[in-house]
Amino acid sequence: MTLDDYILSHITPEDDYLYRLYRATNLHLLRPRMASGHLQGQLLRMLTQMIRPRTVLEIGTYSGYSALCMASGMTEEGCLYTFEINDEQEDFTRPWLENAPYAPRIEMIVGDVFELLPAMNLHFDMVFIDANKRQYADYYELVMRFLNPGGYILADNTLWDGHVVEPEYENDAQTQGIRRFNRLVAADPRVENVILPLRDGLTVIRHKGI
Ligand SMILES: C[S@@+](CC[C@H](N)C(=O)[O-])C[C@H]1O[C@@H](n2cnc3c(N)ncnc32)[C@H](O)[C@@H]1O
């Protein structure tokens, strides 16, 4: 038994709807590894329960797995806005979101978050960044404009399979994007943060309200 198997057999089991979504993601979509999966999904759900956000922004819906995990941790009054730039993803994802028990809490927006978010006049208690690695620093600058004081940003893949410390990835555009983001956050006096070495790295950032 691997450590990963051990962990998965000692955490709260995946609910049946998410299990079926993850299977369908693997059967029908390209690049299914992009979906969060149960370990990270359960963490996202519990962080959402702890933070108790009324409004959540997700950048990067893909099959909807992480959106459903976060929505399951929200209260009924909450609303999660999830942005997906790839319109070919909509036919698969929208029915999974709309048929979920938490459907009324989720709004899927198809389009580029950089184009659409500024005009929406929304503010967020929690943000999950999980999209194009080259643009992480730009997402960060964008969402800091709309994050409430005391709010949280969670950012996925911030260790990028360990490439952030590997000299041979010095010129890789995605690695450079993640490193730029990590430097920006670490140097930003408005926030405090921690990097969890879970899966591919998950950064938790809190807006100090200054
Ligand atoms: C890693 S996947 C998201 C996985 C999902 N959050 C999960 O954990 O199940 C990243 C997604 O971000 C989308 N994306 C990339 N750039 C975007 C942008 N500027 N606005 C909205 N979505 C974007 C991609 O099309 C892709 O489907």
Side-chain angles (χ1 to χ4, degrees), residues 34-36 58-66 83-86 111-114 128 130-133 135 139:
M34 292 205 301
S36 279
E58 176 177 61
I59 308 180
T61 317
Y62 186 51
S63 69
Y65 192 95
S66 52
F83 284 79
E84 175 51 59
I85 198 171
N86 176 8
D112 185 347
V113 71
F114 288 112
F128 182 43
D130 189 17
N132 185 342
K133 310 312 156 201
Q135 294 187 296
Y139 300 131

Side-chain angles (χ1 to χ4, degrees), residues 31-199:
R31 306 182 65 209
R33 283 199 58 215
M34 292 205 301
S36 279
H38 178 47
L39 176 60
Q40 180 160 299
Q42 176 64 9
L43 178 65
L44 289 173
R45 171 182 152 83
M46 293 183 70
L47 287 172
T48 311
Q49 288 168 331
M50 289 183 230
I51 295 168
R52 299 170 156 269
R54 290 178 71 87
T55 45
V56 176
L57 164 67
E58 176 177 61
I59 308 180
T61 317
Y62 186 51
S63 69
Y65 192 95
S66 52
L68 286 174
C69 293
M70 291 185 284
S72 76
M74 296 175 79
T75 60
E76 276 172 26
E77 310 83 65
C79 188
L80 180 147
Y81 300 83
T82 178
F83 284 79
E84 175 51 59
I85 198 171
N86 176 8
D87 57 9
E88 291 178 6
Q89 190 60 58
E90 189 172 8
D91 285 350
F92 177 94
T93 302
R94 198 174 284 286
W96 280 99
L97 296 180
E98 288 182 354
N99 293 320
Y102 333 103
R105 285 171 227 171
I106 303 175
E107 188 163 334
M108 179 183 182
I109 298 139
V110 177
D112 185 347
V113 71
F114 288 112
E115 281 174 25
L116 301 177
L117 184 66
M120 291 178 74
N121 197 26
L122 292 168
H123 287 83
F124 302 97
D125 298 319
M126 185 177 126
V127 176
F128 182 43
I129 300 176
D130 189 17
N132 185 342
K133 310 312 156 201
R134 295 173 190 83
Q135 294 187 296
Y136 262 41
D138 305 315
Y139 300 131
Y140 180 70
E141 300 285 14
L142 175 74
V143 301
M144 281 300 283
R145 290 164 51 198
F146 304 105
L147 185 68
N148 288 325
Y152 284 82
I153 300 172
L154 312 173
D156 196 16
N157 310 111
T158 51
L159 298 176
W160 203 224
D161 216 9
H163 299 333
V164 286
V165 294
E166 291 169 353
E168 56 272 36
Y169 281 84
E170 200 70 46
N171 297 316
D172 173 66
Q174 297 185 94
T175 307
Q176 286 175 345
I178 293 291
R179 282 186 187 159
R180 193 170 140 236
F181 169 81
N182 287 338
R183 280 196 304 270
L184 185 68
V185 174
D188 188 343
R190 296 171 297 176
V191 300
E192 59 177 322
N193 79 301
V194 67
I195 301 176
L196 303 176
L198 178 97
R199 210 171 163 247

